[in-house]
Amino acid sequence: MKVFISWSGEPSRSIASELHGWLRVVVQHVRPWMSDVEIESGTRWNDVIAANLESADFGLVCVTRSNQSAPWLMFESGALAKRLDVARLVPLCIDLEPAEVISPLQSFQSRKLDMDGMRRLIHELREMSDNPMPREPVDRLFEAMWPGLEEQVRLAATQHINAEGPRRSPDDMLAELVTRVRNLERDTETEKQSSGPSRRDLRMLDHAVMTLDDSVSRLSLLTNYIAEFAHSVNRLEQLRFSERELTTAQRVSVDRAETNQQREAEYEIGVGDLVSHPKFGKGEVIDIAGAGAGQRAQVNFESGQIMWLVLRHSRLAPLAPEIDLDSSDN
């Protein structure tokens, strides 16, 4: 059973790589696939990824707070979701709770990347085997292997935080700016009492304070615009994902209708028709029995054989009637 592991950015990539090797040991009937490990140098990576998405039986999406709206993660998740009649898709929550996953991934049952969540996931994979192992040996193997994976997940998350560095929120920056303005006013008042600054200095100070106040207002307004823009982008991604799903469903419906029409056309063979079979050669239909998918035809072949064939599986091809040229000349 092929398990496609989807990722985007760090620490999602590092954790997906650890899962790739760990799953091979704990659930031995699965074949994990991850692009960062499996794609060989010099190959067309997009063709390889598309082929493995098409053949996957199970999808794991390594989700973090920062990547759950990433376009590439959405593309791979959408491709896996199209195969839901034969495959399953599970968002694996790394640094967030399943309830915090946003659309469209929130439509699927998530699992937390902790001991309880991974134990449930392992047993779900075990039960999908044609010959599943007993629960107890799998539990013992899981408990022996889990501490190693837990430590690698912790290291990957820690390294990502250290490499990225702390991010300051707009509120923090606004608070610092206000503090600096107040300190500047306090220092000015102290200097005024001690040395008596000139009017020119006071005017310059007032202008600086007014400029800082205006900057604070503009930064606050810009923060609101950024939040609204991020919400709009997220909504647009959701609409695009829904549109792709609808288009795919319509295409599948049209393909099925065309296939049914072709099959119905293949069954339009009647008594007296000339037909050809790839093994038995040419012959004439002398009887028809049954209807629908079980409809049969009795054919008298030129070889002298008379056989009943099920039209759905027989590969009989109708032939055009032979024209008697002598009769037509007369």
Side-chain angles (χ1 to χ4, degrees), residues 157-324:
T158 302
Q159 291 172 359
H160 173 64
I161 293 174
N162 293 338
E164 187 180 50
R167 293 186 177 182
R168 301 186 63 191
S169 68
D171 290 340
D172 289 339
M173 291 186 286
L174 286 173
E176 181 185 355
L177 194 56
V178 171
T179 301
R180 289 187 178 184
V181 171
R182 289 175 178 172
N183 291 338
L184 185 60
E185 290 177 339
R186 185 169 53 252
D187 293 343
T188 301
E189 184 66 23
T190 302
E191 290 179 3
K192 182 178 179 180
Q193 294 176 357
S194 60
S195 59
S198 64
R199 291 183 178 179
R200 180 174 177 275
D201 292 337
L202 291 175
R203 284 196 302 269
M204 292 178 62
L205 179 60
D206 288 340
H207 178 72
V209 171
M210 291 177 61
T211 302
L212 287 173
D213 286 340
D214 182 64
S215 299
V216 169
S217 300
R218 290 175 179 270
L219 183 57
S220 178
L221 183 62
L222 179 60
T223 301
N224 293 333
Y225 286 155
I226 292 174
E228 292 177 0
F229 178 73
H231 177 74
S232 299
V233 169
N234 184 41
R235 180 58 180 162
L236 180 59
E237 289 293 338
Q238 296 175 14
L239 292 174
R240 287 177 176 173
F241 183 81
S242 300
E243 182 183 6
R244 287 196 296 268
E245 285 187 326
L246 180 59
T247 301
T248 301
Q250 291 174 343
R251 187 181 300 115
V252 170
S253 178
V254 171
D255 291 343
R256 287 177 177 173
E258 291 178 351
T259 301
N260 290 336
Q261 291 177 358
Q262 292 175 358
R263 288 178 175 174
E264 290 175 0
E266 291 175 354
Y267 300 158
E268 293 179 358
I269 294 177
V271 175
D273 289 348
L274 297 179
V275 294
S276 174
H277 188 277
K279 181 177 179 181
F280 305 114
K282 297 180 180 179
E284 180 181 356
V285 178
I286 59 177
D287 195 4
I288 295 291
Q295 190 176 36
R296 299 179 301 152
Q298 188 178 34
V299 183
N300 183 10
F301 290 102
E302 292 180 350
S303 62
Q305 293 177 292
I306 299 178
M307 304 181 65
W308 281 99
L309 300 172
V310 178
L311 292 179
R312 182 177 184 180
H313 307 293
S314 64
R315 295 182 294 170
L316 283 176
L319 297 176
E322 296 183 357
I323 301 175
D324 190 343

Side-chain angles (χ1 to χ4, degrees), residues 1-3 23-32 57 121-133 138:
M1 181 176 69
K2 177 177 288 186
V3 177
L23 284 173
R24 288 181 180 271
V25 178
V26 180
V27 192
Q28 299 174 8
H29 72 275
V30 304
R31 293 182 294 110
D57 303 298
L121 178 63
I122 290 305
H123 283 300
E124 288 170 354
L125 290 170
R126 175 186 66 85
E127 292 168 358
M128 293 179 68
S129 171
D130 295 333
N131 186 22
M133 292 179 61
V138 175

